[in-house]
Amino acid sequence: MNAGEANVLLTKAALVDRWMKFGTPQELAAAAKEWATVLVDVPLDTALDALSAHYATERRSIMPADIVDFAPPLRSSSHAGNVTEQRLARERTELTP
């Protein structure tokens, strides 16, 4: 996630959470920059899903850790990693009765 995407996330959070208000655009930009630093490996779509899931069951404000906890673990993006993951998944399926 970059700062622009974090800005979108924080703006959406502010629509449902009265404590997520920012006094000025500069404050929002500064907060977005810091959230983006923490959420650098989380895609915006995943973060928005986390936001919705969080506020469906929580009364407290969302924090970056809530989004990181919601996000699936990162997978290897290398071709070799993907091939290995596919082979292991296939072998597990073959071994499972």
Side-chain angles (χ1 to χ4, degrees), residues 1-12 32 35-36 39-40 42-45 47-48:
M1 173 176 306
N2 61 40
E5 293 168 328
N7 190 309
V8 169
L9 179 69
L10 291 174
T11 299
K12 287 189 176 278
W35 278 59
L39 301 175
V40 66
V42 179
L44 178 59
D45 290 344
L48 292 172

Side-chain angles (χ1 to χ4, degrees), residues 7-82:
N7 190 309
V8 169
L9 179 69
L10 291 174
T11 299
K12 287 189 176 278
L15 293 172
V16 295
D17 185 337
R18 65 186 178 127
W19 300 108
M20 295 288 290
K21 303 295 184 218
F22 300 92
T24 66
Q26 292 80 12
E27 288 176 4
L28 175 58
K33 181 179 175 187
E34 295 306 316
W35 278 59
T37 300
V38 176
L39 301 175
V40 66
D41 293 325
V42 179
L44 178 59
D45 290 344
T46 300
L48 292 172
D49 289 345
L51 183 77
S52 295
H54 177 83
Y55 284 113
T57 60
E58 282 285 341
R59 289 179 179 85
R60 66 179 176 79
S61 293
I62 196 165
M63 297 298 293
D66 298 315
I67 295 170
V68 171
D69 288 346
F70 180 88
L74 295 177
R75 299 170 73 76
S76 171
S77 62
S78 72
H79 177 69
N82 289 336

